[in-house]
């Protein structure tokens, strides 16, 4: 009975299946395609309204945007929705587009996993899911699409391992799965995909060995597996594929030696990146037989032995990076002979050999490098001897790093020949004599480090021509005087002249250095008063310690509101410590010890945090007992004195304060005016750390699409990694659109002048005429928006609360903690970024504003985001800190309710605010 029941059921099932399949076979036609596409459309959120009216039922499917049909059978053969700003999921009905051979969802914001119904698209040749938010496993049916040639799934959130079935794809040419969360070992079956030409698996969590089988693929031209956790040896066979052009395996844990014949079988290799691994042994001289090599980067490994002289045979070489290994130079001569031979490589732009015990001298032939050389880095190399005069021939060099070596002799007078030099780093050597005048010809120099040498004599009088200088370190030498032209370096940000033998006064011209943030003149013999410094309102750190300065500490120091570190110790300062110093809110270090100060210590504000050692050695100071000074005699002030104070001193003081206040207000206004009108080039401030365009290009793999993490009206954001391993986000501004340059400048101005743990930190900026970019701290966890709305992310209430506290504290800082209040103007979930510890950081200051003295300013040029924008801003363009508070309120509601203020449910009558009231009413 049971059995017969079961068999009847089984038969029914078969019949049903048969009917169903025959029905499909019969019925699929262009109408099937149409209904499949309409189903797809109904699952899509289309904010740019690209499909909305175009995919209309009244027109032929074949005329729809993104659709192509076959010429004969009139069925949909190509569905290409790339780069349309779409989101949503992929409807399973797509599996009915059985004639499809080209399917692309590239560069949208689709989420969810890939529906299994796609397995029936047996004609597929090109599939692209790249640059979306897809998640889940890579389905194993991908391996059963018999004609598949190209599979792009890069920059998504796919996880799990690559299905073993991939090995069935005998036609597969391109496999691009970079930037996902894929893990496990790379399947050996890939070796069965004998048509493979390109494999990109970078930026995942793959472990284990690189399968030997990959090396055997005869058609391979590119294999990039960088930034995974691959270990063990690199299969020798990878270095024996005659077609290969790119091998990129950097940032893994690969170990072992390079095969001795490495270059003999690589006739087409152009790029070899093996840096950041655990490779050891020598660099085989056969590498020079890979004669097409353009970029060779083997830094940060354990390579030893000598740098092969044969590198000079690589005629196409442009970049050589061997940083941080144990490499030496050919021991037969003291000269670094490999450098002489490299002069044959006429296209070389960058040589980085720093951090190797080279132990030799710089050859004279260094002057024979071609004019293409832009970067030469050989710091920490035990380089001995002198700097050859011929170095002046390198007329296109932009960066010269020779610091931390054992160089002796003078800085050659020919140095001025390096006309394009932007950074010159010769610190920590034993260079002698005076600084040559030739240095004044380096008009593009923005960083000059000559500290910790034995240079003596005056600083050359021509110094004023170094007008682009931003960082100047001449400390720990034996320099004797500062020329007056020195103080015309108006772009300068950091000056260190400490520990020299400088004497003389500070002229009033010092006040022209209005951007300077750090100034250290300590341990010299400077004298006179320091009134000239009072106008340097950007100062964050000032040390004048151990000099012979005298006179009072200017009252106006209270205006140096950014000051964090103020050291005036061991001078001859006299009179009282001005009370205005209590206004320096940011002070973290304060020292006026060993002077001749007297009177009451203004022990309030930030000064109250310092102890006796900040004030010791001043005989006539008085104040609270914990400062180990006698108490001030205020108690026995007689009645008559009080009246004197009331009658005369108090009014005078009030008048003075009022006057000061007015002056301050005027100065502030003036400063703001120059900022707004005169191009007051604050861009300069951004260069905390110099990063060249080349470095950015390298860090982002040539601004490769796979490194694109975001796109907006302003331009694009790429993620990248600097050669020292710092993860960065590079925000490249689109200068072709109106306001592109403005938003770069706005963001730069603001980010450069503020710092807070909940604000995205700026690392550098890169500004060329045709290229403007900001280099920011990389936030690996993405935006709050992603965490709120994408399906594979979840935030619990406590996490949300913490984030909202983070945002609030950054707002508090922006509005009240900065020298000038900053209004963000565009607070919303997509501008809140999360670091790896889920700490929220406010970003995107492209339309932010500094607030002046007035409460608000009227501004009509830029518009914030609908839904978050305060009503008065929206209607009148009034900007105020209150507008940010409004946006914060909306953000708060959204974060806890997961309802966006632009959600469809909020019609014109109901806003997110009202919805919350409603909900509360119901419960
Ligand atoms: C849809 O877009 C395509 C391609 O842009 C265009 O040729 C077609 O005319 C549009 N159809 C409608 C109905 O707008
Ligand atoms: C899809 O269309 C874009 C432009 O709209 C084009 O650049 C891209 O090559 C197309 N992709 C495919 C796979 O056809
Ligand atoms: C298309 O696909 C859906 C779901 O995958 C299915 O329900 C439907 O019957 C299929 N056939 C047609 C002709 O739409
Ligand atoms: C790969 O090829 C080998 C040998 O031809 C075969 O044994 C193996 O099953 C294949 N693997 C796959 C996944 O196709
Ligand atoms: C490299 O390949 C060639 C032929 O393709 C072969 O003769 C040679 O032995 C191989 N070398 C190594 C080291 O595998
Ligand atoms: C480069 O290749 C040639 C010919 O294949 C060989 O004779 C020579 O020894 C190789 N050079 C090195 C340094 O291995
Ligand atoms: C530099 O190049 C010139 C011209 O090619 C040559 O005469 C000279 O010997 C070279 N100098 C050195 C030191 O190699």
């Amino acid at each position: 009975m049971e059995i017969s029941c079961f068999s009847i059921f089984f038969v029914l099932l078969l019949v049903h299946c048969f009917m169903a399949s025959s029905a499909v076979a019969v019925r699929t036609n262009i109408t099937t395609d149409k209904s499949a596409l309409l189903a797809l459309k109904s699952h899509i959120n289309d904010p740019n309204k690209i499909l909305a009216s175009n995919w209309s039922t009244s027109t032929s499917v074949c005329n729809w945007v993104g659709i192509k049909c076959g010429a004969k059978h009139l069925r949909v053969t190509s569905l290409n929705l790339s780069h349309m700003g779409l989101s949503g999921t992929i409807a399973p009905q797509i599996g009915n587009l059985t004639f499809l051979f080209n399917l692309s969802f590239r560069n949208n914001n689709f989420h969810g996993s890939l529906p299994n119904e796609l397995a029936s698209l047996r004609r597929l040749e090109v599939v692209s899911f790249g640059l979306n938010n897809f998640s889940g496993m890579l389905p194993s049916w991908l391996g059963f699409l018999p004609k598949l040639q190209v599979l792009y799934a890069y920059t998504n959130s796919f996880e799990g391992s690559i299905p073993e079935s991939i090995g069935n794809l005998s036609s597969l040419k391109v496999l691009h799965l970079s930037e996902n969360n894929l893990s496990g070992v790379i399947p050996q079956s890939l070796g069965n995909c004998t048509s493979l030409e390109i494999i990109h698996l970078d930026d995942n969590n793959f472990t284990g060995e690189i399968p030997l089988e990959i090396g055997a693929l005869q058609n391979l031209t590119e294999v990039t597996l960088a930034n995974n956790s691959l270990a063990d040896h690199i299969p020798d066979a990878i270095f024996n594929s005659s077609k290969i052009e790119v091998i990129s395996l950097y940032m893994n844990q690969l170990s072992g030696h390079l095969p001795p014949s490495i270059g003999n079988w690589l006739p087409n290799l152009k790029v070899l990146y093996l840096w950041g691994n655990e490779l050891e042994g020598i660099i085989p001289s056969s590498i020079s037989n890979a004669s097409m090599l353009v970029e060779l980067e083997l830094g940060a490994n354990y390579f030893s032995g000598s740098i092969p002289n044969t590198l000079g045979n690589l005629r196409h070489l442009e970049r050589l990076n061997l940083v941080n290994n144990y490499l030496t130079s050919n021991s037969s001569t003291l000269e670094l002979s490999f450098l002489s031979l490299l002069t044959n490589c006429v296209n070389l732009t960058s040589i980085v050999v720093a951090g190797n015990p080279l132990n030799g001298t710089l050859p004279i032939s260094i002057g024979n490098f071609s004019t293409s050389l832009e970067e030469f880095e050989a710091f920490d190399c035990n380089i001995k001897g002198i700097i050859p005069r011929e170095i002046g021939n390198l007329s296109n060099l932009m960066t010269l790093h020779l610091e931390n070596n054992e160089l002796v002799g003078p800085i050659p007078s020919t140095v001025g020949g390096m006309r394009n030099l932007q950074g010159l780093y010769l610190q920590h050597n034993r260079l002698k004599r005076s600084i040559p005048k030739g240095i004044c010809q380096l008009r593009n120099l923005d960083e000059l480090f000559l500290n910790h040498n034995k240079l003596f004599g005056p600083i050359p009088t021509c110094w004023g021509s170094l007008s682009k200088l931003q960082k100047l370190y001449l400390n720990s030498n034996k320099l004797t005087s500062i020329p007056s032209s020195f103080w015309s370096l108006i772009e300068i940000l950091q000056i260190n002249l400490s520990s020299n033998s400088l004497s003389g006064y500070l002229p009033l011209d010092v006040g022209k250095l209005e951007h300077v943030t750090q100034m250290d003149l300590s341990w010299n013999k400077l004298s006179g008063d320091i009134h000239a410094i009072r106008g340097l309102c950007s100062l964050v750190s000032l040390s004048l310690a151990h000099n012979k300065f005298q006179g009072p500490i200017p009252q106006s120091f209270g205006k140096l509101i950014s000051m964090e570190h103020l050291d005036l110790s061991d001078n001859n300062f006299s009179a009282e410590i001005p009370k205005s110093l209590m206004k320096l809110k940011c002070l973290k270090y304060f020292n006026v010890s060993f002077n001749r100060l007297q009177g009451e210590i203004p022990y309030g504000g930030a000064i109250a945090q310092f102890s006796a050692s900040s004030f010791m050695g001043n005989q006539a100071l008085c104040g609270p007992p914990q400062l180990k000074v006698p108490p001030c005699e205020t108690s026995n002030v007689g009645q008559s004195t009080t009246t004197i104070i009331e009658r005369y001193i108090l009014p005078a003081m009030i008048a003075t304060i009022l006057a000061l206040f007015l002056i301050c207000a005027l100065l502030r206004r003036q400063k703001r005016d120059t900022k707004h009108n005169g191009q007051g080039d604050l861009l300069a401030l951004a260069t905390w750390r110099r990063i060249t365009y080349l470095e950015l290009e390298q860090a982002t793999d040539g601004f490769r699409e796979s490194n694109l993490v975001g796109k907006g009206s302003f331009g694009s954001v790429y993620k990248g990694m600097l050669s020292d391993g710092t993860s960065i986000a590079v925000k490249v501004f689109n200068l072709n659109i109106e306001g592109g340059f403005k938003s770069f400048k706005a963001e730069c101005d603001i980010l450069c002048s503020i710092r807070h743990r909940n604000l995205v930190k700026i690392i550098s900026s890169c500004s060329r005429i045709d290229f403007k970019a900001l280099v920011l701290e990389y936030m690996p966890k993405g935006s709050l928006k992603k965490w709120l709305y994408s399906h594979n992310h979840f935030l619990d209430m406590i996490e949300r609360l913490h984030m909202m506290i983070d945002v609030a504290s950054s707002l508090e800082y922006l509005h009240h903690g900065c020298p000038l209040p900053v209004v963000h103007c565009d607070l919303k979930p997509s501008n809140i970024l999360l670091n790896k510890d889920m700490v929220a950081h406010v970003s995107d200051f492209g339309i932010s504003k500094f607030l002046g003295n007035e409460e608000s300013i009227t501004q009509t040029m830029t518009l914030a985001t609908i839904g978050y924008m305060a009503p008065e801003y929206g209607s009148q363009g009034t900007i105020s800190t209150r507008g940010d508070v409004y946006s914060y309120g909306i953000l708060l509601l959204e974060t806890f309710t997961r309802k966006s203020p632009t959600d469809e449910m909020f019609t014109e009558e109901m806003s997110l605010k009202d919805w919350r009231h409603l909900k509360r009413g119901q419960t």
Side-chain angles (χ1 to χ4, degrees):
M1 190 59 196
E2 242 181 306
I3 292 171
S4 67
C5 241
F6 183 78
S7 45
I8 290 170
F9 173 70
F10 191 70
V11 168
L12 277 176
L13 193 73
L14 269 182
V15 169
H16 182 80
C17 282
F18 175 73
M19 277 171 57
S21 63
S22 61
V24 169
V26 171
R27 269 201 278 139
T28 72
N29 53 30
I30 191 72
T31 329
T32 325
D33 290 358
K34 188 169 193 169
S35 54
L37 290 172
L38 288 174
L40 175 69
K41 183 182 171 187
S42 70
H43 281 66
I44 290 180
N45 179 8
D46 175 18
N48 302 328
K49 306 263 183 276
I50 294 176
L51 310 181
S53 59
N54 191 292
W55 282 24
S56 98
T57 44
S58 57
T59 53
S60 158
V61 172
C62 300
N63 293 333
W64 289 1
V65 60
I67 305 293
K68 283 197 189 115
C69 293
K72 284 185 207 146
H73 47 61
L74 275 185
R75 293 290 304 271
V76 173
T77 55
S78 169
L79 170 59
N80 182 353
L81 300 184
S82 65
H83 205 10
M84 293 184 176
L86 308 173
S87 58
T89 56
I90 301 213
Q93 283 86 343
I94 288 299
N96 290 344
L97 298 171
T98 44
F99 280 71
L100 211 56
F101 68 83
N102 180 1
L103 176 63
S104 176
F105 294 107
R106 208 179 124 267
N107 200 358
N108 284 291
N109 201 16
F110 286 104
H111 67 264
S113 50
L114 305 178
N116 285 332
E117 284 76 3
L118 297 190
S120 33
L121 302 179
R122 314 275 297 169
R123 290 186 169 89
L124 277 180
E125 289 175 10
V126 178
V127 174
S128 178
F129 301 113
L131 291 163
N132 277 290
N133 217 347
F134 289 115
S135 56
M137 309 275 279
L138 285 176
S140 63
W141 51 255
L142 282 171
F144 298 100
L145 299 174
K147 298 191 171 164
L148 198 60
Q149 292 177 14
V150 177
L151 176 58
Y152 289 128
Y154 59 91
T155 318
N156 278 290
S157 305
F158 288 115
E159 54 199 15
S161 49
I162 300 180
E164 196 72 28
S165 63
I166 204 104
N168 294 325
L169 298 174
S170 57
S171 308
L172 192 66
K173 288 186 179 149
V174 180
L175 180 64
H176 191 347
L177 307 178
S178 299
E179 292 199 73
N180 280 289
N181 302 324
L182 297 169
S183 56
V185 297
I186 300 175
Q188 290 176 358
S189 65
L190 261 189
N192 288 10
C193 306
T194 47
S195 307
L196 261 177
E197 293 169 9
I198 295 178
I199 305 179
H200 293 312
L201 304 178
D202 318 64
D203 300 294
N204 281 291
N205 307 315
F206 290 116
T207 51
E209 302 179 27
I210 301 175
L212 292 176
E213 289 76 4
I214 285 190
L217 291 168
Q218 289 301 313
N219 294 312
L220 219 49
T221 59
E222 292 182 19
V223 53
T224 71
L225 312 175
N227 219 349
N228 281 289
S229 300
L230 298 168
D232 225 322
H233 291 50
I234 305 172
D236 282 359
I238 283 195
F239 301 118
N240 194 9
S241 18
S242 58
K243 292 191 180 158
I244 206 144
E245 294 176 12
V246 177
I247 301 177
S248 169
L249 308 176
Y250 64 86
M251 296 283 279
N252 277 292
Q253 284 122 40
L254 299 165
S255 57
H257 298 243
L258 296 179
S261 61
I262 180 169
N264 293 350
W265 313 100
L266 293 169
N268 288 304
L269 190 68
K270 296 194 174 77
V271 174
L272 180 58
Y273 292 155
L274 300 177
W275 53 271
N277 279 292
E278 292 159 19
L279 298 166
E280 58 188 353
I282 61 159
I283 299 177
S285 58
S286 67
I287 190 88
S288 62
N289 271 348
S291 57
M292 300 305 281
L293 211 52
V294 175
E295 301 192 13
L296 177 60
E297 306 209 343
L298 307 178
N301 279 292
Y302 304 120
F303 288 118
S304 55
S306 58
I307 299 178
N309 281 341
T310 55
L311 288 182
N313 298 340
L314 295 169
R315 293 303 155 98
H316 298 284
L317 198 62
E318 291 177 15
R319 303 180 64 87
L320 174 65
N321 188 332
L322 305 175
V323 68
N324 293 343
N325 279 292
Y326 300 104
L327 296 164
T328 58
S329 178
N330 197 329
S331 52
S332 61
T333 85
L334 191 56
E335 249 184 26
L336 300 177
S337 49
F338 75 94
L339 285 178
S340 301
L341 290 148
L342 278 176
T343 59
N344 293 327
C345 308
V346 293
N347 295 323
L348 257 183
T349 58
S350 166
I351 302 176
V352 181
V353 291
N356 284 293
L358 297 179
N359 277 323
T361 60
L362 294 172
I364 294 174
S365 56
I366 198 170
N368 275 6
F369 273 114
S370 88
T371 49
S372 58
L373 194 64
E374 293 178 356
E375 185 177 42
F376 185 78
E377 298 193 7
F379 53 87
D380 291 318
C381 287
N382 303 346
I383 297 179
K384 304 176 199 318
I386 60 158
I387 303 176
R389 289 179 56 77
E390 287 72 11
I391 202 148
N393 293 354
L394 304 180
S395 56
N396 280 323
L397 203 63
M398 295 202 271
T399 325
L400 178 59
H401 276 281
L402 290 171
E403 68 266 31
N404 298 331
N405 281 301
E406 293 158 31
L407 293 166
V408 294
I411 299 174
S413 56
T414 53
V415 69
M418 295 185 278
R419 292 186 305 272
N420 284 322
L421 210 58
Q422 295 177 10
L424 177 58
Y425 308 86
L426 302 176
Q427 69 269 33
H428 291 280
N429 278 292
R430 278 180 258 141
L431 299 169
K432 282 214 179 98
R433 310 240 196 116
S434 53
I435 302 178
K437 285 202 183 68
I439 239 174
C440 300
Q441 292 162 24
L442 303 178
R443 285 161 203 266
N444 292 311
L445 208 56
D446 58 28
E447 295 191 0
L448 176 59
F449 286 70
L450 302 178
N451 49 300
H452 292 90
N453 277 294
K454 296 178 176 170
L455 302 167
F456 56 76
I459 298 175
T461 50
C462 56
W463 204 260
S465 63
L466 297 175
S467 58
K468 296 205 175 139
L469 214 50
Q470 296 185 356
K471 293 186 189 172
L472 174 62
Y473 285 74
L474 300 178
N475 46 307
S476 299
N477 280 292
K478 293 176 181 151
L479 302 169
T480 51
S481 67
I482 310 174
S484 59
S485 70
F486 185 92
W487 307 108
S488 60
L489 304 177
I490 51 172
E491 302 263 326
I492 202 129
L493 301 174
Q494 298 175 12
I495 300 178
N496 194 335
L497 300 178
S498 73
S499 303
N500 276 292
S501 307
L502 300 168
S503 59
Y505 303 111
L506 294 184
L508 278 178
D509 282 351
V510 174
K512 289 183 189 164
L513 311 183
E514 57 173 307
H515 298 312
V516 71
T517 60
Q518 293 177 28
M519 182 147 96
D520 189 348
L521 306 179
S522 62
W523 295 96
N524 279 295
K525 295 174 192 154
L526 298 165
S527 53
D529 67 44
I530 59 168
H531 281 294
I533 291 177
R534 70 195 159 178
L536 306 184
C537 289
S538 305
L539 271 177
V540 174
S541 168
L542 174 66
S543 179
L544 303 176
H546 309 286
N547 275 293
K548 295 177 176 166
F549 289 114
Q550 61 199 44
I553 301 172
Q555 184 78 34
S556 48
F557 264 39
K559 281 192 301 187
L560 308 182
I561 46 176
S562 305
M563 189 76 81
E564 292 177 6
H565 179 111
L566 180 58
D567 191 350
L568 304 176
S569 61
D570 193 14
N571 278 289
N572 290 326
F573 291 117
S574 54
E576 295 191 357
I577 304 174
K579 299 225 171 2
S580 62
L581 295 191
M582 291 192 289
K583 285 191 280 187
L584 303 182
K585 280 192 199 159
C586 308
L587 223 46
K588 299 195 179 85
Y589 180 90
F590 179 72
N591 195 345
V592 292
S593 62
F594 299 103
N595 278 294
R596 293 195 206 150
L597 298 164
Q598 47 180 284
E600 184 175 2
I601 294 175
Y603 206 58
I607 296 197
Q609 63 184 301
F610 302 107
S611 63
S613 59
S614 292
F615 303 96
M616 64 204 264
N618 281 291
Q619 272 135 17
L621 285 176
C622 67
Q626 69 266 35
L627 298 184
K628 299 185 183 147
V629 288
C632 297
E633 294 176 0
T634 48
S635 51
N636 53 358
V637 176
Q639 186 111 40
S640 56
T641 346
T642 325
T643 41
I644 289 172
I645 289 177
E646 271 174 13
R647 276 199 197 152
Y648 306 106
I649 301 181
L650 212 58
M653 270 173 64
I654 290 174
T656 325
I657 289 172
L658 274 178
L660 269 177
F661 189 76
L662 271 175
I663 292 171
C664 251
L666 277 174
L667 278 177
R668 262 186 160 191
R669 166 177 296 214
Q670 234 168 28
K671 200 173 145 200
R672 205 187 63 241
D673 288 350
T674 50
K675 232 179 233 165
H676 282 245
N677 312 335
Q679 294 285 46
D681 204 1
L682 275 178
L683 301 189
L685 273 172
T687 350
W688 301 120
R689 165 175 174 186
R690 242 176 49 77
I691 297 183
T692 59
Y693 178 77
L694 275 174
E695 276 175 276
L696 284 187
E697 209 173 22
Q698 198 183 2
T700 58
D701 239 345
F703 300 101
R704 200 184 266 256
E705 195 112 43
S706 62
N707 285 333
L708 192 71
V709 289
K711 229 174 165 138
S713 51
F714 58 83
S716 321
V717 181
Y718 296 87
K719 78 170 189 185
M721 176 156 325
L722 295 176
S723 49
D724 67 359
T726 321
S727 291
I728 52 170
V730 186
K731 182 164 181 179
V732 182
F733 288 78
N734 184 353
L735 301 177
N736 297 327
I737 57 161
E738 200 189 343
F741 178 72
K742 236 175 124 176
S743 88
F744 169 70
K745 198 162 143 37
E747 185 145 13
C748 212
D749 285 356
I750 288 184
L751 281 179
C752 296
S753 59
I754 57 181
R755 249 165 302 164
H756 187 267
R757 71 180 281 274
N758 297 117
L759 296 176
V760 171
K761 208 181 326 153
I762 186 163
I763 298 172
S764 180
S765 74
C766 178
S767 175
R768 289 177 156 196
I769 293 177
D770 55 341
F771 178 86
K772 309 267 178 217
L774 289 177
V775 182
L776 305 164
E777 199 181 1
Y778 178 59
M779 295 282 144
K781 292 281 164 82
S783 71
L784 174 60
K785 185 172 174 188
K786 170 172 121 184
W787 282 84
L788 285 180
Y789 298 111
S790 86
H791 285 228
N792 47 346
H793 292 89
F794 177 75
L795 290 175
D796 63 33
M797 284 298 157
I798 300 295
E799 280 175 313
R800 295 184 204 197
L801 180 65
H802 280 302
M803 283 174 197
M804 287 303 101
I805 293 174
D806 289 340
V807 175
S809 79
S810 73
L811 267 193
E812 204 269 345
Y813 169 79
L814 289 175
H815 293 172
H816 305 292
C818 299
L820 285 179
V822 173
V823 186
H824 185 278
C825 297
D826 200 10
L827 210 56
K828 56 181 178 181
S830 57
N831 285 342
I832 313 289
L833 302 182
L834 306 173
N835 75 1
K836 67 176 193 322
D837 303 319
M838 300 296 285
V839 175
H841 289 66
V842 174
S843 79
D844 203 341
F845 289 81
I847 64 168
S848 304
K849 296 281 175 313
F850 281 112
L851 268 198
N853 285 354
E854 306 101 89
E855 266 284 275
S856 57
I857 47 177
T858 306
Q859 234 289 343
T860 46
M861 288 293 287
T862 46
L863 262 197
T865 308
I866 308 275
Y868 299 92
M869 172 169 55
E872 76 272 16
Y873 180 23
S875 55
Q876 298 147 28
T878 314
I879 296 178
S880 70
T881 51
R882 292 191 292 262
D884 274 357
V885 175
Y886 178 94
S887 310
Y888 179 75
I890 298 288
L891 179 72
L892 205 59
L893 292 178
E894 176 170 3
T895 304
F896 287 102
T897 60
R898 286 189 65 232
K899 284 277 170 272
S900 145
T902 52
D903 195 299
E904 278 168 16
M905 70 176 284
F906 301 118
T907 55
E908 277 165 43
E909 267 75 52
M910 186 159 75
S911 73
L912 179 55
K913 277 186 329 199
D914 308 329
W915 180 74
R916 201 210 45 164
H917 287 299
L918 205 71
K919 285 282 274 197
R920 220 173 34 185
Q922 283 168 356
T923 50

